[in-house]
Amino acid sequence: MEERIFTCNLCEALCGLRVSVDGPTVTGIRGDPDDVLSGGHICPKAHGLRELLDDPDRLRAPLKRVGEDLRPAPWDEALDTIAARLRSIQREHGRDAVALYVGNPVVHSHRGALASQLLTSVLGTKNRYDPNSQDGNPRLFACMQVYGDALAIPVPDVDRVDHLLVLGANPAASNGSMMALGNPRARFSAIVERGGRVVLVDPRRTETASWASRHHFIRPGGDAALLFAMLHVLFREGRIDGDRVGRVASGLEELRRLAEPFAPERVADAVGIDAEVIRTLARELASSPRACVYARVGVCQNAFGPVASWLVEALNIVTGNFDREGGCLFPAPAADIAPLGRMVIGNHHGRWRSRVRGLPEFLGALPSAAMAEEIETPGKGQIRALVCIAGNPVLSTPNGERLAGALGRLDLLVAIDLYVNETARLAHFVLPPKHIFETGSYDVVLSRFAVRNVAKYSAPIVETADDTRDDWSIAVELASRLAMPAMAGASPGLRSAWVRGVRALARDLPERVIDLLLRTGPYKLSLAELRAAPHGKDLGPLTPRGPRAIRTPDRRARLAPPALVADVGRLLSWVDEARVGGELLLIGRRHLRSNNSWMHNLRSLTKGPDRSSLLMHPADGARLGLADGGLVRVRSRAGELTARLTLTDDVMRGVVSLPHGFGHAAARATLRVAGALEGESANRLTDELFVEPVIGTSVLNGVPVTVEIDLSSPSG
Ligand SMILES: Nc1nc2c(c(=O)[nH]1)N[C@H]1C(S)=C(S)[C@@H](COP(=O)(O)OP(=O)(O)OC[C@H]3O[C@@H](n4cnc5c(=O)[nH]c(N)nc54)[C@H](O)[C@@H]3O)O[C@H]1N2
Ligand SMILES: Nc1nc2c(c(=O)[nH]1)N[C@H]1C(S)=C(S)[C@@H](COP(=O)(O)OP(=O)(O)OC[C@H]3O[C@@H](n4cnc5c(=O)[nH]c(N)nc54)[C@H](O)[C@@H]3O)O[C@H]1N2
Ligand code: SF4
Ligand SMILES: [Mo]
C-alpha cells in the first residue's frame, strides 16, 4: 500500500488529499496537511471520490441504444457510428444542426477543459451551450465590460481583508466559488479572529452565518438596488476620492448620476433592508482600512445579475479596494489558459443570436434556456443532434422537463458521462470517461481564482482495467474521425491508421500544453517541477497588478459601461413596482454533501436526513395553513412538483428554498442509490422563459411560485 498526493477536483477549494492506494483500489483518503493551499482541510465529498471509483453504477464501457435499452458496444463501433452520423447531419442540415453542451466538471481538470475546447473547435456550431448561463455569466460579462476582459476577474484577498461583504454565496456549503480557498472555514474564521468583519446578505440565514459577524436578509433580486443605494450613500456623504478613482477608472460622474435615484428610503421595501442598515453597510465598507464586496451565484442567478455584478466591481473600485492588498486582486496563475480560451471561445458577446428567441451569444455559447425551443422548432438551423459532455441539463437547466421531452426527439444524442444520468438515459450513445484518479489533474481554470498564487499538478494514482477513456482521449477520437472528411471515403485500413496516428500524437498533448503554459508563465515553472512537488508550489500572496491587468484601451476600468447602464431603467421600475407581501419567491440552496446533480449515487454522501425539502418561513406556513413535515404542491408558470415542507425562520418571509440537482426517480434503473432518494428537480419550477435581458442568464433565484397542501399524497 502506498500513500499518494492528489488535489480534489470536485469543487473549487482545491484541497490536497492523501490517498492510500493498493494497486487499482483506493483504501483511504484524508487531508494533506502539507498542501500549500488547504493545509489539511477536506470535506465529506473527498471520500466520495473513493466511493465513486467503486460505484457499481458507474459506467465501465460504452453503451449504445438498441430499442428501449442501452447495451454495451465496443469503442470503435460507437465512435465510428457517432462520427458518421454527426458528419451526415452537419452535411445535410448545416453545422449548427449539431449542438454541444459542455457541463461543469470539465473545468475541473486540464484534460477535460482541453477536451471541451477541442469539441468546440471541431463541431464549429453556433449551438454551443454550457452552465455559465445558469451560473457565472453575469460576473464574466460585468468583468468584460468593466475591465475589458471576461477573464479579468478579481478575487477577494481573504487572508488580509478586514471587512468582507458577502452577497449570495454560501461558502460553508459550496466551499467558495470564483475564489479558491483551500480551507474555507479557517480562512473565513481568521477574518473575524483578527478583529475583522464578515457581513452576509442572503434571503436565507445559511450555514455561513455561523462564520459571519452579521447576517441580513435580502429579498431575492434585491442586490443591484442595494448596491446602487450604497453607492448613493457614498456619493452623498462625500466618501469617494475622485482623484484616486480617476487614476484607475473612468465614468465616475456617470456612476454618480446613475446612483442618484437609488436613495436608501426608496429601495428599502423592495430590497427588504432598512434604509439605516443600508447606510451602515455603505459606511462600514468605506471606513474599513481593507475591505471587499464579494458576490456569487445567488446574485448572478437573479433577475439583475449583470447589473449587480457590475456594481460589486464599482464599489470595490470607488472605495479604493480594487487591485489592493486586503481588497480584491487579480491572481497571477502559473499556467494561464486565458489566451487559449480567448482563441477558442473568444472574448465577445452578441456575435450571433439564438434562432428562435434571439438570445445573445456570450463567450461562444448561447443561453441554455434556449436549448429546448431550438430542438423543437422546425426550420433551417434546427438542432437535430447534441453532444453532451459532463453535463446533466435535464436537471440543471430551467424547465428541465421540457428539455427532456425535446431531447427525446433528437436524431442523435451522445452523452460523455460517468453515469447514465437523467440526460444520458435519453441518449443513443453513452461514452464513459475515466475517474479523475486515473487521469491526473491540473486545475487550469480554477487556479485563476486562488486566494494565494499556487500551482499544483496531480499525476494519475490508480490504473483500473475498466474499458473507459479519459475525456480528452474521447474528444480526440471523435475529432480525428470528424476533422478529416476525406477519410470517410478511405479504406477502413487507412482510416484506422489515421485515427491511430492522431491518437498517438495527441496522447500527452494536454500535459505538453500545461508544461508550455507553465514555462512561459510568470514563474517559469515546468510540469516536471510540479511533479516533484506534489503538495504544490506556493507562489506567494496575491499582489497588485497595476494597469497592465486591465484590458480596456486606456487601461482604466469602466465604471459606467453602456451595455449595463442600459438595464438601470428596468431596475428602477422594479424598485418602484415591487409587490411586497403575499407572493412567494423560490431560491435555491447547496449542501456540503451534494454536488449539483451528481454524487447522489454515493451512500456516504446521501445517508442521513432528507436534504431536498422546501424551506418556508413559519409565518407563511401559518398564512397558507401548511404544516411542518407535510407534503406540498409547488407550482410556477413552468411546472409543478411535490416537496416535503420544512418550516424555519432561517428563511426570509415571502421566500421558499429548494435545492437543485434532485429528482433522480426517472433514472432509478441506472442510478440505484440516487433513484431511491426523496425530492424532485427544482428545475421543474424554474422557467426557461424567465431570463434577464442583458445576456439571457436564467433567473433561477426569485421565481414566483405558489404552494399548497398536496391533496394527492396520502401523507400530505
Ligand atoms: N457542496 C457543494 N459545493 C459546490 C456545489 C454544490 O453543488 N455542492 N456547486 C459548485 C458550483 S457549480 C458553484 S457555481 C458554486 C456556487 O457557490 P456559491 O455561490 O457559494 O453558491 P450557493 O451555495 O448556492 O450560495 C448561493 C446563496 O445565494 C443565496 N441567494 C439566492 N438568491 C439570492 C439573491 O437574490 N440575493 C442574494 N444576496 N442571495 C441570494 C442563496 O440563499 C444561497 O445561500 O458552488 C460549488 N460548490
Ligand atoms: N435551479 C438551479 N439550477 C442550477 C443551479 C442552481 O443553483 N439552481 N446551479 C447551476 C450551476 S452553478 C451549475 S455549474 C450547473 C451544473 O450543471 P451541469 O454541468 O449540467 O451538470 P452537473 O449536475 O454538474 O452534472 C455533471 C455530470 O458530469 C458527470 N461527470 C462528472 N465528472 C466527469 C468527468 O470527469 N467527465 C465527464 N465526461 N463527466 C463527468 C457527472 O456524472 C454528471 O452527470 O447547474 C446549474 N443549475
Ligand atoms: S472542499 Fe471541495 S476540493 Fe475540498 S475535499 Fe471537499 S469537494 Fe474536494
Ligand atoms: Mo456552477
Side-chain angles (χ1 to χ4, degrees):
M1 197 169 72
E2 278 175 86
E3 190 156 78
R4 311 288 292 273
I5 305 300
F6 204 91
T7 294
C8 178
N9 77 329
L10 291 173
C11 83
E12 305 180 33
L14 303 175
C15 297
L17 312 177
R18 291 193 170 197
V19 186
S20 305
V21 177
D22 195 355
T25 47
V26 166
T27 55
I29 292 181
R30 57 201 179 97
D32 174 17
D34 300 320
D35 185 275
V36 291
L37 188 67
S38 62
H41 170 267
I42 54 168
C43 84
K45 289 190 294 305
H47 303 286
L49 279 176
R50 171 178 134 191
E51 222 182 320
L52 177 67
L53 190 65
D54 300 334
D55 187 349
D57 287 347
R58 187 169 59 81
L59 281 178
R60 262 72 176 185
L63 299 176
K64 76 165 178 197
R65 179 158 301 281
V66 182
E68 291 291 288
D69 301 329
L70 285 166
R71 302 228 183 107
W75 275 98
D76 277 334
E77 183 198 317
L79 292 162
D80 286 343
T81 317
I82 293 167
R85 287 217 225 152
L86 289 175
R87 225 178 14 229
S88 85
I89 290 170
Q90 284 196 319
R91 204 182 305 123
E92 199 178 328
H93 303 285
R95 305 208 94 178
D96 303 336
V98 174
L100 175 65
Y101 180 92
V102 174
N104 169 274
V106 295
V107 308
H108 292 270
S109 77
H110 66 298
R111 293 184 78 91
L114 290 170
S116 73
Q117 307 243 356
L118 180 60
L119 289 174
T120 300
S121 308
V122 78
L123 290 175
T125 171
K126 293 195 170 75
N127 278 306
R128 184 190 184 282
Y129 299 87
D130 60 40
N132 287 339
S133 62
Q134 282 84 255
D135 184 348
N137 268 354
R139 180 97 206 274
L140 301 178
F141 186 72
C143 287
M144 179 194 264
Q145 297 305 315
V146 174
Y147 305 117
D149 183 356
L151 292 178
I153 305 171
V155 168
D157 190 4
V158 176
D159 289 342
R160 288 173 293 190
V161 74
D162 301 311
H163 176 85
L164 184 62
L165 175 61
V166 177
L167 307 125
N170 184 13
S174 69
N175 280 303
S177 183
M178 288 186 160
M179 162 174 83
L181 289 162
N183 191 338
R185 178 199 284 270
R187 287 200 147 88
F188 266 70
S189 307
I191 301 174
V192 180
E193 278 158 21
R194 62 178 178 260
R197 255 188 318 253
V198 177
V199 178
L200 203 61
V201 174
D202 195 303
R204 181 167 75 89
R205 194 180 304 110
T206 63
E207 299 76 2
T208 303
S210 67
W211 302 356
S213 324
R214 250 175 31 235
H215 164 259
H216 298 285
F217 285 125
I218 185 169
R219 199 160 150 265
D223 306 86
L226 167 69
L227 296 167
F228 253 139
M230 289 172 63
L231 282 163
H232 175 102
V233 173
L234 298 183
F235 281 117
R236 275 292 171 92
E237 298 186 354
R239 291 172 186 268
I240 293 169
D241 178 343
D243 291 339
R244 189 181 59 188
V245 174
R247 284 195 286 278
V248 293
S250 60
L252 185 63
E253 266 320 299
E254 191 175 1
L255 187 66
R256 178 200 301 274
R257 188 184 59 73
L258 292 166
E260 196 44 45
F262 291 89
E265 280 71 15
R266 186 166 176 184
V267 307
D269 282 349
V271 164
I273 303 181
D274 287 347
E276 260 329 291
V277 174
I278 296 176
R279 289 205 168 80
T280 305
L281 289 170
R283 289 170 190 154
E284 280 176 339
L285 189 68
S287 61
S288 301
R290 301 186 294 186
C292 180
V293 187
Y294 163 78
R296 242 334 245 131
V297 147
V299 172
C300 284
Q301 298 166 335
N302 72 39
F304 296 97
V307 169
S309 301
W310 149 45
L311 298 178
V312 166
E313 304 306 325
L315 268 169
N316 285 330
I317 294 169
V318 302
T319 54
N321 288 300
F322 163 69
D323 200 31
R324 180 169 103 174
E325 283 179 13
C328 62
L329 292 156
F330 295 114
D336 193 358
I337 198 159
L340 191 68
R342 272 184 223 112
M343 233 162 65
V344 182
I345 56 173
N347 191 30
H348 309 270
H349 87 109
R351 282 176 299 176
W352 62 86
R353 290 190 169 258
S354 70
R355 185 179 55 111
V356 179
R357 216 188 315 172
L359 295 179
E361 167 266 354
F362 178 46
L363 298 179
L366 289 169
S368 309
M371 223 178 340
E373 67 203 21
E374 293 295 329
I375 298 171
E376 290 164 355
T377 313
K380 197 171 163 340
Q382 180 183 10
I383 297 175
R384 292 160 190 275
L386 172 73
V387 178
C388 176
I389 178 167
N392 195 4
V394 167
L395 291 195
S396 67
T397 64
N399 201 349
E401 278 305 291
R402 176 175 173 191
L403 181 66
L407 293 177
R409 303 223 289 269
L410 288 171
D411 294 342
L412 178 66
L413 174 58
V414 179
I416 304 172
D417 206 284
L418 295 163
Y419 289 107
V420 180
N421 64 16
E422 294 69 18
T423 304
R425 79 183 183 88
L426 305 168
H428 300 92
F429 290 91
V430 189
L431 305 176
K434 288 201 175 296
H435 188 285
I436 193 70
F437 284 165
E438 299 174 274
T439 63
S441 175
Y442 185 96
D443 221 322
V444 75
V445 178
L446 298 174
S447 15
R448 286 189 66 83
F449 298 111
V451 297
R452 240 187 120 76
N453 291 312
V454 294
K456 297 198 267 175
Y457 170 70
S458 305
I461 54 174
V462 295
E463 207 181 308
T464 68
D466 298 340
D467 190 15
T468 53
R469 297 183 183 181
D470 72 275
D471 287 309
W472 168 254
S473 305
I474 296 171
V476 167
E477 295 285 336
L478 281 174
S480 67
R481 286 166 171 83
L482 282 168
M484 188 51 88
M487 280 295 149
S491 70
L494 198 61
R495 251 182 7 229
S496 70
W498 156 257
V499 168
R500 277 201 311 277
V502 174
R503 187 185 298 161
L505 272 176
R507 185 169 298 131
D508 302 325
L509 193 63
E511 286 72 28
R512 293 205 299 273
V513 168
I514 298 299
D515 188 49
L516 184 73
L517 294 176
L518 286 168
R519 285 174 191 278
T520 53
Y523 314 97
K524 308 282 175 255
L525 293 169
S526 70
L527 197 60
E529 273 174 85
L530 292 190
R531 279 180 195 274
H535 309 290
K537 278 211 179 282
D538 181 18
L539 305 165
L542 307 187
T543 50
R545 302 278 297 280
R548 72 203 139 91
I550 302 178
R551 294 171 60 93
T552 57
D554 68 354
R555 300 266 168 200
R556 288 191 304 162
R558 285 186 287 244
L559 287 172
L564 291 158
V565 171
D567 202 26
V568 175
R570 186 178 68 98
L571 177 63
L572 204 55
S573 310
W574 179 86
V575 165
D576 292 339
E577 289 157 21
R579 269 194 314 117
V580 186
E583 69 172 356
L584 288 175
L585 297 177
L586 175 74
I587 60 166
R589 73 177 183 272
R590 285 178 160 73
H591 191 278
L592 188 59
R593 289 176 180 268
S594 182
N595 203 15
N596 294 317
S597 77
W598 69 294
M599 306 205 79
H600 285 158
N601 208 52
L602 307 177
R603 284 184 205 280
S604 70
L605 296 179
T606 48
K607 65 181 185 217
D610 165 46
R611 302 190 183 100
S612 67
S613 68
L614 183 82
L615 308 184
M616 178 187 274
H617 192 278
D620 288 320
R623 180 171 59 87
L624 297 167
L626 302 173
D628 186 60
L631 291 176
V632 291
R633 197 73 188 152
V634 192
R635 293 192 176 85
S636 73
R637 193 224 48 101
E640 52 185 279
L641 55 72
T642 295
R644 194 164 293 284
L645 185 69
T646 300
L647 295 177
T648 166
D649 61 9
D650 282 343
V651 67
M652 192 179 185
R653 279 175 94 146
V655 174
V656 288
S657 161
L658 197 67
H660 76 288
F662 285 89
H664 303 288
R668 72 169 77 75
T670 51
L671 296 171
R672 285 170 291 179
V673 176
L677 294 175
E678 218 177 307
E680 294 188 62
S681 173
N683 285 320
R684 281 174 176 261
L685 296 170
T686 58
D687 188 339
E688 80 285 17
L689 302 182
F690 190 14
V691 300
E692 52 74 21
V694 182
I695 44 169
T697 316
S698 299
V699 178
L700 305 175
N701 285 320
V703 179
V705 293
T706 60
V707 182
E708 59 186 38
I709 295 182
D710 187 0
L711 294 171
S712 64
S713 307
S715 50

